Amino acid sequence: MVLRVGVVGCGAIGTEICNAIDSKEELGMELKLLIDNHPERIEALVTKLSKRPAITISGSKDLTASLDAVDLLIECASQEAVREFVIPALNAGKDVMILSVGALICYEGLFDEIVRIARRNSCRVYIPSGAIAGIDGLKSGAIGGIHTVELTTRKPPQGFEGNKYVKEQGIVLSRIDKEQILFVGSAREAVKHFPENVNVAASLSIAGIGPESTKVKIVADPGATENVHEIEVIGEFGRMFVRVENVPSPSNPRTSHLAALSAIATLKGIAYPLRIGT
Ligand SMILES: NC(=O)c1ccc[n+]([C@@H]2O[C@H](COP(=O)([O-])OP(=O)(O)OC[C@H]3O[C@@H](n4cnc5c(N)ncnc54)[C@H](O)[C@@H]3O)[C@@H](O)[C@H]2O)c1
């Protein structure tokens, strides 16, 4: 059976997902619906595909009829799009994939609402690992009991340019000549001051011990050339340490290439009978 897919967001991640669905026959999926509030981004993406999806929507319209055309709706747009599209899709009994996972800790009550509707309508909600690794070990560890989860994100100082919190702290980025800690606190606080970290902090929080208990450290490191995430988990199982040195997506430097690849790997997991990893 061919799985009919809709994609919300025709940017860096959406383009890679659509290309994979279009070119990888072994996934057994067909792209039926594309949504973006910039019509020119839909058109730019369509030119890269072998076949135009049956429905394209720009701006907000009544989704009901369009949702009939899909079995799975993938959100790779923005936090607002999670509320705007994921809830109607679940209400229509569709499975969903969420990339803007930060929405689930930023909007009060949204996580519970999504789980409630998905349960009621027997839908699946897929959240790929995104820009990090180690979610599998964290999930396993959580069964036995986790004591601490700490995320350290390192970036070159210029990567924090324009950040309001850094400015308010009186930190002059151009003067940083050795590693400097910019922030230490809970994932809940971190996403307020460093919104670019929101997805990674949210994924770790959901898989582990929640946004209040997950600790985040943000470091400006003149020696770093890429965004580096280090995750340390200590629990009954022992200790886990994961370090990911991310290459940026070629079309959006704020997005790690691994995020799009993790969405495609999740699609592979849906399509294949055998599932490896927790
Ligand atoms: N889970 C992770 O680890 C992870 C990693 C990187 C990015 N992300 C998230 O994935 C999402 C997509 O990332 P990207 O790099 O592809 O972004 P992008 O900016 O390249 O593309 C997003 C596209 O979505 C469209 N869009 C945004 N809000 C919309 C709405 N409400 N309705 C319709 N269209 C809308 C935009 O016009 C744009 O074309 C972002 O929210 C980003 O934060 C998650």
Side-chain angles (χ1 to χ4, degrees):
M1 199 192 77
V2 172
L3 192 84
R4 302 166 308 153
V5 181
V7 173
V8 186
C10 299
I13 296 180
T15 300
E16 290 201 47
I17 290 175
C18 291
N19 279 334
I21 294 173
D22 189 57
S23 62
K24 294 185 193 303
E25 247 174 57
E26 67 275 19
L27 286 179
M29 297 181 185
E30 193 179 348
L31 200 56
K32 289 284 191 186
L33 167 66
L34 276 183
I35 302 176
D36 198 294
N37 49 17
H38 289 87
E40 72 283 5
R41 296 200 185 147
I42 299 180
E43 289 314 312
L45 171 49
V46 165
T47 59
K48 295 182 184 138
L49 304 175
S50 65
K51 196 171 147 211
R52 187 179 181 93
I55 311 169
T56 58
I57 301 178
S58 71
S60 42
K61 292 209 180 87
D62 182 14
L63 271 186
T64 325
S66 314
L67 284 172
D68 281 346
V70 305
D71 307 303
L72 168 70
L73 188 76
I74 303 176
E75 177 286 320
C76 45
S78 60
Q79 288 191 23
E80 303 77 60
V82 176
R83 279 204 300 206
E84 204 178 330
F85 298 100
V86 166
I87 298 289
L90 289 172
N91 274 324
K94 308 299 173 179
D95 291 340
V96 296
M97 185 188 290
I98 300 173
L99 268 298
S100 307
V101 54
L104 304 185
I105 65 166
C106 289
Y107 293 131
E108 182 94 33
L110 185 62
F111 180 85
D112 290 340
E113 189 182 4
I114 285 175
V115 173
R116 184 175 48 78
I117 305 172
R119 226 181 231 138
R120 187 185 68 209
N121 291 350
S122 304
C123 305
R124 295 256 162 210
V125 179
Y126 300 100
I127 303 178
S129 301
I132 48 168
I135 294 282
D136 53 349
L138 177 54
K139 274 163 49 184
S140 306
I143 302 295
I146 299 281
H147 306 318
T148 59
V149 179
E150 188 171 311
L151 163 72
T152 302
T153 296
R154 280 195 168 71
K155 273 200 243 181
Q158 65 270 24
F160 296 98
E161 241 150 57
N163 181 294
K164 209 169 139 224
Y165 175 83
V166 171
K167 219 176 188 175
E168 278 166 10
Q169 301 302 304
I171 298 166
V172 182
L173 292 167
S174 58
R175 289 212 203 114
I176 295 180
D177 54 6
K178 59 178 190 306
E179 257 196 37
Q180 182 170 336
I181 297 172
L182 302 182
F183 171 87
V184 181
S186 69
R188 171 84 69 207
E189 291 167 312
V191 301
K192 276 191 232 148
H193 304 310
F194 297 89
E196 61 278 13
N197 240 38
V198 67
N199 294 305
V200 169
S203 299
L204 282 177
S205 300
I206 293 167
I209 52 178
E212 315 297 345
S213 304
T214 302
K215 293 284 168 268
V216 176
K217 193 195 281 181
I218 310 271
V219 181
D221 179 358
T225 51
E226 282 145 3
N227 285 1
V228 178
H229 297 299
E230 289 174 342
I231 297 152
E232 186 191 48
V233 181
I234 298 174
E236 264 181 38
F237 70 95
R239 173 180 177 265
M240 177 181 102
F241 181 74
V242 177
R243 179 180 160 99
V244 186
E245 298 174 9
N246 276 305
V247 170
S249 151
S251 49
N252 183 352
R254 281 176 295 118
T255 285
S256 301
H257 186 45
L258 189 63
L261 301 179
S262 84
I264 298 166
T266 304
L267 290 179
K268 230 175 133 180
I270 295 170
Y272 289 4
L274 187 147
R275 190 168 305 178
I276 181 134
T278 303

